[in-house]
């Protein structure tokens, strides 16, 4: 009996020994239990590069580039609401890949006093992306927009744009002021390497932009916001530009599209080419190429490509791939493939940068603010010239062969001073040019200012249910996913804002 007891006791002791540490086997020692918020911010930044949707809608609405082809490319060229194909990607990309990350970066760093700069940088960038979203759609999920993970809010309520803008302005003001060189410098940041001075200028330039958005709907608030931004310090040098870098592995979205399957489908428009050509603007040579005599996409070869400004011919607005054939012949071209394009081997190569906020744009907004009498310390004419110079100098960042010679730049500026009696139009025409390839900003400022004075795209009018005769697309429509899943909240926004149509004006967009 003693032998049996001894064996049982030995077995029990052995079993206990085996169980000791057994729970540790269920712990994954290689899986992170926390995520550095700078990684979340960086992921947000790199996912902000404007998706192809911007080419199909924003850039088309402001008549800088257009395609005569429909299908998945239908949008601004046909005044067509193609929400499932082209409008949803911006909403989805920004909420899922940008706002989700900035929100989580804010939540993770908010209570960490050692990461106060991280917290405020994330707030600033989130405010920037929310400004794009509300400018594109109007009322959007803002207060609850990124709270799916942190607060388990999967069907967020929509905020009215009238309520969103004051909150964005406050976020930018507070976060900029809170940034400090005495706090931890977030050197891992991909936008500015944690440079506090540059982040402050970025925030204040966004504040200036937000203030100018209100120029029609609330001039008093607009002026106060602009003055605060200028006092705090904005971007006036290209050295402080906010832009996203790309390479062969992380490619520029629009550049990738136009160097791939859609290479022969998008063309510079007649209004854009004529503006540059008629004023002797050296940026035309930096931007455009025409494959002279091309009868097909295969005919667009390097051998026939010309960047000579005198040979550039823009594609007219309002034609499809049937009617454009006769128009091209009437213009003396071999086919519509013979119209000018943005050069995909220079300005739209796959490694070209995406500019978010620039010295050119900021100087031109300062020119308008100065003309309105909202700021002092510089003349509207000087800011105007500085803005043009900054954009011409910026061209070299796309490719060395896009560079504008200093002599050509200075000669153009000298020949094109800010004209008395036509200030607002000329300032905003230059803003239109300086925002080339930044579709959301070009679209927003066109609606705000009313310039350039483009002729509405006539395609499908006067019986187009989406865009009435003689009008422009004024916003993007909500994606079908929101209408079918977040029905109650999106319908409340529609009831407040107006019909979910391309022609419905958002809050700050006043006639």
């Amino acid at each position: 009996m003693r032998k049996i007891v001894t064996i049982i006791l030995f077995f029990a002791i052995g079993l206990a020994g085996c169980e000791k540490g057994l729970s540790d086997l269920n712990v994954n020692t290689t899986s992170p239990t926390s995520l550095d918020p700078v990684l979340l911010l960086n992921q947000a930044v790199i996912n902000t590069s404007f998706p192809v949707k911007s080419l199909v809608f924003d850039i088309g609405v402001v008549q800088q580039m257009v395609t005569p082809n429909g299908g998945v490319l239908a949008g601004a060229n046909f005044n067509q609401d193609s929400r499932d194909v082209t409008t949803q990607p911006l909403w989805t990309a920004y909420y899922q890949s940008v706002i989700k990350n900035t929100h989580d970066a804010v939540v993770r760093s908010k209570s960490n006093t050692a990461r106060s700069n991280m917290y405020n940088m994330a707030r600033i960038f989130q405010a920037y992306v929310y400004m794009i979203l509300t400018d594109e759609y109007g009322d959007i999920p803002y207060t609850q927009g990124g709270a799916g993970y942190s607060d388990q809010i999967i069907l967020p309520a929509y905020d009215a744009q009238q309520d969103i803008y004051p909150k964005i302005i406050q976020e930018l003001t507070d976060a900029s002021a809170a940034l400090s060189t005495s706090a931890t410098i977030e050197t891992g940041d991909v936008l500015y390497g944690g440079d506090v001075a540059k982040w402050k200028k970025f925030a204040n330039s966004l504040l200036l932009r937000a203030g100018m958005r209100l120029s029609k709907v609330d001039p008093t608030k607009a002026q106060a916001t602009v003055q605060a931004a200028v006092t705090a310090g904005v971007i006036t040098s290209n050295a402080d530009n906010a832009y996203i870098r790309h390479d062969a592995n992380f490619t520029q979205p629009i550049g990738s599209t136009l160097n791939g399957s859609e290479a022969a489908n998008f063309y510079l428009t007649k209004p854009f080419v004529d503006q540059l050509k008629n004023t002797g603007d050296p940026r035309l040579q930096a931007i455009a190429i025409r494959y002279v005599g091309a009868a097909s996409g295969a005919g667009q070869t390097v051998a026939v490509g010309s960047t000579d400004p005198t040979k550039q011919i823009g594609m007219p607005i309002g034609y499809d791939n049937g009617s454009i054939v006769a128009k091209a012949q009437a213009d003396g071209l071999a086919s519509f493939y013979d119209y000018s394009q943005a050069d995909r081997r220079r300005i739209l190569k796959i490694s070209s940068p995406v500019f978010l906020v620039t010295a050119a744009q900021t100087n031109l907004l300062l020119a308008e603010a100065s003309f309105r009498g909202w700021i002092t310390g510089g003349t509207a004419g000087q800011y105007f010239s500085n803005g043009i110079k900054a954009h011409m100098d910026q061209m070299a960042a796309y490719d060395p062969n896009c560079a504008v010679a200093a002599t050509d730049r200075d000669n153009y500026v000298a020949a094109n001073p800010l004209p008395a009696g036509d200030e607002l139009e000329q300032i905003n025409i230059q803003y239109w040019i300086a925002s080339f390839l930044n579709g959301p900003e070009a679209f927003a400022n066109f609606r705000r200012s009313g310039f350039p004075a483009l002729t509405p795209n006539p395609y499908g009018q006067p019986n187009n249910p989406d865009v009435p005769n003689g009008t422009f697309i004024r916003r993007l429509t909500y994606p079908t996913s929101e209408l079918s899943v977040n029905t109650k909240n999106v319908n409340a926004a529609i009831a407040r804002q107006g019909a979910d149509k391309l022609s419905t004006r958002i809050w700050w967009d006043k006639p």
Side-chain angles (χ1 to χ4, degrees):
M1 174 66 80
R2 180 180 295 177
K3 183 176 180 181
I4 294 174
V5 171
T6 301
I7 292 172
I8 293 173
L9 181 62
F10 178 78
F11 179 76
I13 294 173
L15 185 61
C18 291
E19 288 179 344
K20 184 178 181 181
L22 188 62
S23 61
D24 293 338
L25 296 177
N26 292 321
V27 177
N28 186 342
T29 59
T30 63
S31 178
T33 57
S34 64
L35 189 61
D36 191 329
V38 76
L39 299 178
L40 294 167
L41 176 60
N42 287 343
Q43 186 70 11
V45 170
I46 64 175
N47 283 322
T48 306
S49 285
F50 308 124
V52 177
K53 186 282 323 164
S54 180
L55 175 62
V56 174
F57 266 95
D58 297 336
I59 294 174
V61 174
V62 300
Q63 299 181 13
Q64 292 177 332
M65 285 197 282
V66 72
T67 175
N69 297 317
V72 297
L73 302 180
N77 61 324
F78 296 150
N79 285 321
Q80 182 174 329
D81 188 357
S82 307
R83 68 182 75 201
D84 289 327
V85 176
T86 49
T87 65
Q88 187 164 331
L90 178 69
W91 182 283
T92 302
Y94 277 16
Y95 272 112
Q96 293 186 2
S97 301
V98 181
I99 293 298
K100 180 179 71 175
N101 286 306
T102 55
H103 178 88
D104 289 350
V106 167
V107 169
R108 288 173 181 270
S109 58
K110 183 176 183 178
S111 60
N112 187 346
T113 56
R115 306 291 296 276
S116 61
N117 280 342
M118 180 70 253
Y119 170 58
N120 290 298
M121 286 156 51
R123 293 170 70 193
I124 290 166
F125 201 81
Q126 180 167 261
Y128 165 62
V129 177
Y130 269 131
M131 193 188 304
I132 292 177
L133 284 166
T134 190
D135 289 345
E136 295 276 300
Y137 297 94
D139 293 7
I140 58 167
Y142 175 81
T143 304
Q144 300 178 349
Y149 177 75
S150 63
D151 301 304
Q152 302 298 298
I153 298 175
I154 60 174
L155 297 176
Y158 283 55
D159 297 73
Q161 188 180 61
Q162 187 173 358
D163 298 328
I164 293 171
Y165 253 85
K167 293 176 182 178
I168 287 176
I169 289 170
Q170 195 64 53
E171 274 289 277
L172 292 170
T173 301
D174 293 348
S176 174
L179 288 170
S180 174
T181 54
S182 62
T184 301
I185 302 301
E186 301 288 345
T187 57
D189 147 46
V190 296
L191 191 62
Y192 283 125
D195 189 313
V196 168
K198 291 187 176 184
W199 267 99
K200 281 179 175 286
K201 290 180 182 179
F202 174 54
N204 295 327
S205 298
L206 291 172
L207 191 62
L208 170 64
R209 190 178 276 188
M212 294 303 293
R213 291 283 199 273
L214 309 184
S215 58
K216 288 183 179 178
V217 72
D218 190 346
T220 301
K221 178 69 171 177
Q223 180 176 355
T225 304
V226 167
Q227 289 174 342
V230 174
T231 299
V234 296
I235 295 171
T236 56
S237 166
N238 282 337
D240 297 325
N241 285 346
Y243 67 99
I244 301 172
R245 300 155 182 83
H246 300 92
D247 58 25
N249 295 313
F250 175 58
T251 59
Q252 208 262 45
I254 294 176
S256 295
T257 297
L258 297 187
N259 277 282
S261 60
E262 309 300 341
N265 286 333
F266 282 88
Y267 296 82
L268 294 173
T269 68
K270 179 176 173 57
F272 189 69
V273 170
D274 285 357
Q275 170 62 38
L276 299 177
K277 192 173 182 178
N278 294 341
T279 58
D281 195 318
R283 285 172 288 190
L284 181 57
Q285 187 165 10
I287 293 170
I289 189 168
R290 181 176 155 225
Y291 297 100
V292 180
S296 66
Q300 294 179 338
T301 64
V302 173
V304 299
S306 175
T307 60
D308 182 348
T310 65
K311 294 184 178 179
Q312 303 309 315
I313 302 174
M315 179 176 283
I317 298 293
Y319 293 85
D320 57 29
N321 56 10
S323 59
I324 194 64
V325 174
K327 180 57 180 172
Q329 292 175 347
D331 287 340
L333 305 181
S335 71
F336 74 77
Y337 298 98
D338 200 353
Y339 283 112
S340 297
Q341 294 181 302
D343 195 340
R344 56 184 178 268
R345 296 178 177 88
R346 293 183 299 147
I347 194 168
L348 277 173
K349 62 186 182 183
I350 61 173
S351 60
S352 61
V354 165
F355 287 91
L356 309 179
V357 181
T358 67
Q361 293 168 327
T362 302
N363 273 297
L364 290 165
L365 291 180
L366 293 175
E368 181 174 338
S370 178
F371 171 72
R372 290 178 179 273
W374 290 355
I375 60 173
T376 58
T379 68
Q382 189 59 57
Y383 286 128
F384 178 73
S385 296
N386 289 348
I388 296 172
K389 288 180 180 179
H391 189 242
M392 289 189 179
D393 290 344
Q394 178 188 319
M395 299 304 297
Y398 292 103
D399 186 271
N401 291 319
C402 287
V404 173
T407 301
D408 293 337
R409 176 200 65 198
D410 294 343
N411 288 342
Y412 177 86
V413 169
N416 294 274
L418 183 61
D422 196 25
E423 291 91 344
L424 288 179
E425 181 171 13
Q426 292 305 313
I427 289 168
N428 285 289
I429 286 174
Q430 288 297 329
Y431 199 91
W432 177 59
I433 299 169
S435 299
F436 181 65
L437 298 180
N438 184 334
E441 184 58 21
F443 182 36
N445 196 68
F446 168 67
R447 287 173 289 162
R448 178 195 73 85
S449 69
F451 298 115
L454 302 170
T455 300
N457 177 3
Y459 195 94
Q461 296 181 349
N463 299 314
N464 188 325
D466 297 320
V467 185
N469 189 35
T471 64
F472 287 91
I473 293 172
R474 310 303 301 190
R475 64 180 284 272
L476 299 187
T477 53
Y478 297 122
T480 302
S481 58
E482 283 294 291
L483 296 169
S484 60
V485 176
N486 197 11
T487 310
K488 179 181 177 181
N489 289 320
V490 73
N491 282 341
I494 293 169
R496 179 174 57 236
Q497 178 171 261
D500 187 25
K501 291 185 177 182
L502 297 172
S503 55
T504 296
R505 290 176 181 264
I506 59 176
W507 169 68
W508 57 249
D509 180 16
K510 300 300 180 184

